[in-house]
């Protein structure tokens, strides 16, 4: 009974992660939705497995899986965030520039800045290589 | 109730796959794959609760390992042609 409720909570948090992936406008916002809600849902799912099965070996496996998830989920999120920040095509890092809105639509063209830094030139070169 | 939870998890996997299909950048696809690996852990735990055998938890552990390694490999692949980081002002 308690395992069913724990698994239902896990399913609700997985659903929050999926809806956040669908509806949030920015890559970093989607990363925020995906990483944390999925971690909490994984705790709840493994707790449901331990509450349903019991036993020593299942407990060891659940604890190992939980420890592994908590070791690796921040590392994976950090790697993805670094990848997003370094491969984005414009220079508007929303943390540094406070004037414009950090949320920008994906279809909207990037804002044209007067100065061209090394990063944007490299991005344009990569775009021309792709096309 | 376990079946309802499994159906909800499968709908969330479907939502992540829709994001994987409609992604605008490659980093979005990596994010969607990371979330899909976590949701596969949840789906395997749900199947083990339906089935009654605790063997699926070990496969959940293996799926978590593979998801983490594939995420690191894909981010390194995306960062390979960017080069050195831009000089911070």
């Amino acid at each position: 009974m308690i395992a069913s409720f724990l698994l239902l909570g896990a399913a609700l948090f997985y659903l929050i992660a999926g809806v956040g992936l669908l509806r949030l406008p920015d890559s970093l916002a989607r990363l925020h939705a995906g990483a944390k809600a999925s971690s909490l849902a994984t705790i709840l799912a493994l707790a449901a497995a331990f509450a349903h099965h019991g036993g020593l070996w299942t407990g060891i496996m659940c604890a190992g899986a939980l420890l592994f998830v908590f070791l690796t989920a921040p590392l994976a999120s950090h790697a993805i965030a670094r990848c997003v920040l370094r491969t984005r095509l414009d220079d508007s890092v929303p943390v540094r520039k406070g004037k414009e809105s950090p949320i920008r639509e994906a279809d909207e063209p990037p804002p044209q800045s007067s100065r061209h830094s090394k990063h944007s030139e490299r991005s344009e070169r990569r775009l021309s290589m792709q096309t | 109730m376990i079946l309802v939870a499994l159906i909800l998890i499968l709908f969330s996997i479907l939502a992540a796959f829709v994001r994987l299909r409609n992604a605008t950048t490659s980093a979005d696809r990596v994010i969607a794959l990371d979330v899909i690996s976590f949701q596969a852990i949840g789906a395997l735990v749900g199947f083990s609760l339906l089935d009654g055998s605790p063997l699926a938890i070990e496969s959940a552990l293996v799926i978590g390992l593979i998801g983490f390694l594939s995420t690191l490999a894909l981010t390194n692949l995306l960062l390979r042609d960017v080069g050195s980081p831009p000089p911070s002002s």
Side-chain angles (χ1 to χ4, degrees):
Chain A
M1 193 63 193
I2 194 168
S4 304
F5 277 110
L6 283 173
L7 192 68
L8 200 62
L12 285 180
F13 276 104
Y14 279 130
L15 202 63
I16 287 173
V19 170
L21 273 186
L22 274 186
R23 291 193 55 88
L24 284 180
D26 196 47
S27 285
L28 294 174
R30 275 176 223 139
L31 182 63
H32 149 78
K36 284 175 283 200
S38 294
S39 296
L40 181 55
T42 310
I43 309 173
L44 288 175
L46 289 171
F50 180 64
H52 186 265
H53 296 299
L56 180 62
W57 182 246
T58 311
I60 290 174
M61 290 309 289
C62 285
L66 248 175
L67 194 65
F68 183 74
V69 163
F70 267 77
L71 277 179
T72 58
L75 290 177
S77 301
H78 176 74
I80 296 173
R82 196 181 55 175
C83 179
V84 168
L85 281 182
R86 279 170 59 178
T87 58
R88 62 167 42 185
L89 296 179
D90 53 346
D91 285 341
S92 68
V93 179
V95 181
R96 290 178 185 168
K97 289 185 179 179
K99 291 179 182 177
E100 52 196 34
S101 169
I103 294 174
R104 189 174 57 82
E105 290 295 326
D107 298 332
E108 183 183 344
Q112 294 293 326
S113 60
S114 60
R115 59 174 181 87
H116 284 282
S117 68
K118 191 180 172 186
H119 186 55
S120 63
E121 286 174 3
R122 196 164 52 228
S123 303
E124 286 167 3
R125 199 178 65 225
R126 199 175 65 244
L127 265 184
S128 64
M129 279 174 60
Q130 281 179 358
T131 58
Chain B
M1 191 179 280
I2 296 176
L3 207 59
V4 174
L6 259 181
I7 290 171
L8 285 181
I9 292 176
L10 291 184
F11 269 113
S12 60
I13 291 179
L14 190 68
F17 265 109
V18 168
R19 171 49 69 192
L20 186 69
R21 189 197 174 279
N22 293 333
T24 53
T25 62
S26 301
D28 275 345
R29 293 190 170 90
V30 182
I31 294 168
L33 271 179
D34 192 26
V35 175
I36 282 171
S37 71
F38 282 117
Q39 287 165 350
I41 293 176
L44 269 174
V45 169
F47 280 129
S48 84
L49 259 67
L50 268 189
D51 198 14
S53 78
L55 281 180
I57 300 170
E58 307 180 8
S59 50
L61 186 61
V62 173
I63 284 201
L65 176 64
I66 291 175
F68 172 60
L69 287 183
S70 66
T71 302
L72 281 193
L74 285 172
T75 50
N76 279 325
L77 185 68
L78 287 181
L79 281 180
R80 192 177 59 181
D81 42 349
V82 174
S84 62
S88 61
S89 59

